[in-house]
Amino acid sequence: MVPLPIGISFYTFQGISLLVDTFASDKVDKYKFLVHKSFFRHSLNTALFISFFPQLVAGPIVKAHDFIPQIKEKALKDVDWESCFRALVLGYFLKMVIADNLKEQTFWILFPYFQNLSTVALLVMLFGYSMQIFADFAGYSLIAIGVARLMGYNINENFNFPYISKTFSEFWTRWHISLSSFLKEYLYFPLGGNRINKTRTYLNLMIVMFLGGLWHGAAWSYAVWGSFHGFALVSERFLRGRINLPDTMPINFLKMTVVFIFVTFAWLLFKLPEFSHVMNYMEAIVRNANMPLSSDLFLIKYNLLYSLPVCIYHLYYLYTKNGTPKTLKNLQPVIFGLMLFLIISNSGSPASFVYFQF
Amino acid sequence: MIKKSLIIFIVLFISYNLFIIHVKPETITQDNWHKNRIQAQEYLYNDNKPIAIAIAGTSLSAGLFGNLLPENTYNLAMGGQSTIDGLEIVKNKNRKPDILLIEINFIYTERSAQFLDNLFLPGLYMARKIFPALRDKYRASSIAETTLSSIKQHLYKYLNKYISDSKATSSVKLENKKKMKNKFDAVQIKKENAVKVIPALFEMNLNRMVHLSEAIPPEKIITNKKKILTDYKNYFERFGVQIILFEMPVHEKLVHSKKATHIRKMMFEIFPPDRFRYILPDNAAKFNTTDGIHLTPHSMMNYTLFLTNNLNKIRLPRYNID
């Protein structure tokens, strides 16, 4: 194993963003302001941009042209305290109450523990892991955003309720938005995007997703994960226009379910980096169909309990998409007060953020 | 919004603490790590009962039957944790036990830094003493679950009394409910006693353990472990704690493995048998395991009796039983 500096995946991309924005022929005029006239000042700006601690270790990945213009004197009176409070409380709730508790319930996904569990338990744990990885990463991103806002810096949202996505391309506009946006701007578009021809578009999508997978770690499981998503995007693009489904609620729900199931099964490659263990897990799902549920009820119960807030969070978004009803607005202090209480009284054992390893 | 949220939080927190202090609700553990933290925190914060014997071990001895062990015994052996974790917890409590039982099987398992750091974080350690709501035993969702269950039971009893007083035909329904409850209890008992041992998996796990037991740790690790254990020995001896070492029975193929033999030899060096008592299983074949190292419930019961009998033979110093 080779030890790597913490956060290297993130600040390397930020460095690439700065270099490309400064020197690329199509950007050099647009982003002239990135390089300060004074070398000393420019060095300070660059150092701050690369080492800005709220997002240094695990993102969100910030682009130079979004961050550097914000570097100026800040005043406490300009801080949006309510927005910071919301981001921090929600972030810590997702991380400490949901992710940290779910991590203990989904521990049994690891090899060889899953061998003896019933099919229902295996599927519920996978569902739980899907919720866990969202809560962990989205929680961290919200904390980073909240802390950055306390210092007067706005970092873009990194998650936008990804599990209600109806298509894979929509999923990648809602999940780890800073990464997908970076890959689109600095890799997909320079490769030609979808401007050349269909075959080239498919190839570009596969390259981007393959490299996006490898960004997570130098292991084949991540590359395979990225390729799976690439294949899903390519298939979707191929079928677009060939299959036209009506825009009705049942069809949309079915689409969301298909995308969610695919994404959830793909997460198995994150939890079980060894491919043989992934295959064993899939085999166990089929093989253990007749195993009694009785000894797994506990595990199933708590996986579902701690996954529920993430489901409610997504349903809340669907319900309030066209505006938040007044009753809900009035209930917000109660919700945030309760979240604070649960952070103090219902946190799981502390663990490092999943994305710290990247 | 911020002020209102903070006020609601403070009201909830204070009310919850008062509820815990006055009602002393039962709790339910949600997973293995939750159980471990409760076990460790109860040992540290509960001074009501004096602890005469403390056990430090791993998942192998975590399943010892508490009601068959001598009175005032506290088992700090925890699934997923190491013997060193238990020793560290005993060390950090002001009041030391009279006897410290140390499991030697997996003595090389490293201490769980994250687990211990969270337990002994200075501010949090003191805060948990003052505010019981911060202890894992009183996790809000666990207490909510047990409280609701308790309300349901009281309601059931009330309905039962009401129905039997009114001589309604629904006594038949109640009979059915009782039958269902008895059936559920029977299933529970069966579940606790049932052991899901799939032969192919058992062989796979056993072979894996045999493979792992053939390797002795590098010299640097051995030296480090010797130092750590010697430090603990000297520390506890200063407080007059009697140390007794025991080995949990494992599958026959593992009893005389390279690692097991090495561990016994190392422990005899640090804790010489002429000064320290050892309780070693006389016959591994008598005990059955689920995976080569963890005893089945029936074997665990037998081993607990074996351990207790041996402890009695050692003629332990008298201690007060409250």
Side-chain angles (χ1 to χ4, degrees), chain A residues 68-134:
Chain A
I68 291 179
Q70 296 186 64
I71 300 176
K72 56 184 173 216
E73 218 172 79
K74 307 284 182 186
L76 271 177
K77 63 177 174 61
D78 296 327
V79 174
D80 182 355
W81 295 101
E82 193 172 302
S83 152
C84 297
F85 176 79
R86 283 171 193 276
L88 287 169
V89 171
L90 184 57
Y92 276 108
F93 177 80
L94 284 173
K95 168 59 180 150
M96 293 172 74
V97 180
I98 307 303
D100 284 349
N101 277 308
L102 274 173
K103 125 183 139 299
E104 281 157 14
Q105 305 304 328
T106 60
F107 170 83
W108 310 103
I109 292 178
L110 294 174
F111 182 85
Y113 308 112
F114 63 76
Q115 311 258 11
N116 251 0
L117 297 170
S118 62
T119 296
V120 174
L122 293 172
L123 290 171
V124 168
M125 277 201 304
L126 207 43
F127 176 80
Y129 185 65
S130 208
M131 301 295 117
Q132 178 198 333
I133 203 166
F134 166 77

Side-chain angles (χ1 to χ4, degrees), chain B residues 24-41:
Chain B
K24 292 186 180 42
E26 293 290 316
T27 191
I28 186 167
T29 60
Q30 295 184 349
D31 54 70
N32 185 54
W33 293 269
H34 186 212
K35 184 178 166 215
N36 291 351
R37 289 195 301 279
I38 291 174
Q39 218 164 317
Q41 286 168 14

